[in-house]
Amino acid sequence: MRFLTAFIITILLALVASGCEREDLTYEKEDNKKTEEKTDGKQDPKTGKDDSDDPNHPGDPNNPDTPPAPDPAAQALAAQVSGEWQGKLSTSYYDDYGVKQTGEYTTQMQFVLSAKDAVGGTGRETDYDAAGRQVWRMAFTWEVTDKQQICFTTTEGVVMRTKTYQIDASLFNATFESADGLETAVYEMKRKENGQ
């Protein structure tokens, strides 16, 4: 019995001693973190080597993980698209049976930028029939691509891209086509004035 008690006490002492070592290691790791924070960002925290010329360094503009800066032309076009528009919509699409369907609607579209210098954001479209009844309402995300295309993606996942467009301070005329080529939407809109 004494032997068993002595054995248990020895194991407990060993566990306590190893626990102290872990605390020391933890303290040492925290010390290393403080040292890493003090570096100027040009050293690899693991190797300590200067990696300012390394394209994989987070601060390097050629790092593949660093998103490219937005194109100023895309930003300008996105700012022009941003706002509320109203006018006429002509659509053509193929239904589930492969039959081509067409429609004429009055439409209202809203494009909201996600940030001041963004190239896209969120939007909403509401369409009305000839009697003024709401027949369609959808939310979408939109962006101006580096090829100066205006694209929007509906909540159903349909991607529409401009084939042609003409836009200025007051007019937005555009032909959008779905990515699969089965749907076309032609918008002839004017910027909606406040209070209308």
Side-chain angles (χ1 to χ4, degrees):
M1 191 69 161
R2 285 184 191 172
F3 174 75
L4 183 60
T5 304
F7 180 72
I8 291 173
I9 290 173
T10 305
I11 290 176
L12 287 174
L13 288 173
L15 287 174
V16 168
S18 67
C20 290
E21 277 183 41
R22 280 192 211 121
E23 285 179 23
D24 289 341
L25 289 174
T26 303
Y27 179 76
E28 189 174 308
K29 286 180 183 174
E30 288 174 7
D31 233 13
N32 286 343
K33 284 181 185 172
K34 290 177 186 172
T35 305
E36 289 172 12
E37 290 170 5
K38 292 178 184 176
T39 64
D40 61 1
K42 293 183 180 180
Q43 289 184 342
D44 185 318
K46 293 178 183 172
T47 64
K49 293 175 13 182
D50 181 358
D51 64 354
S52 56
D53 294 329
D54 180 4
N56 292 323
H57 184 271
D60 190 306
N62 296 320
N63 180 343
D65 295 332
T66 304
D71 176 17
Q75 287 175 315
L77 180 55
Q80 206 167 23
V81 170
S82 178
E84 293 188 53
W85 302 88
Q86 61 186 7
K88 179 181 163 188
L89 166 64
S90 303
T91 64
S92 66
Y93 64 94
Y94 291 89
D95 66 16
D96 294 339
Y97 303 102
V99 178
K100 187 174 184 177
Q101 302 290 334
T102 60
E104 299 281 328
Y105 308 96
T106 301
T107 189
Q108 292 185 355
M109 292 187 83
Q110 180 182 36
F111 294 85
V112 179
L113 283 170
S114 59
K116 181 183 173 194
D117 293 326
V119 294
T122 58
R124 183 181 67 234
E125 177 179 337
T126 308
D127 301 330
Y128 303 89
D129 65 12
R133 293 176 299 220
Q134 180 179 313
V135 293
W136 182 252
R137 184 177 174 95
M138 72 171 181
F140 57 87
T141 57
W142 66 279
E143 69 173 334
V144 175
T145 69
D146 56 357
K147 295 179 181 177
Q148 298 297 295
Q149 278 188 311
I150 304 165
C151 300
F152 67 87
T153 304
T154 68
T155 51
E156 291 85 20
V158 177
V159 178
M160 301 290 287
R161 294 185 177 96
T162 48
K163 287 181 66 176
T164 63
Y165 65 87
Q166 176 188 7
I167 186 169
D168 60 31
S170 60
L171 293 174
F172 183 11
N173 297 330
T175 299
F176 285 85
E177 186 176 73
S178 62
D180 60 11
L182 299 177
E183 186 175 347
T184 303
V186 179
Y187 296 90
E188 296 174 31
M189 301 182 293
K190 292 182 179 180
R191 189 173 294 277
K192 187 176 177 183
E193 300 297 328
N194 291 337
Q196 283 189 356

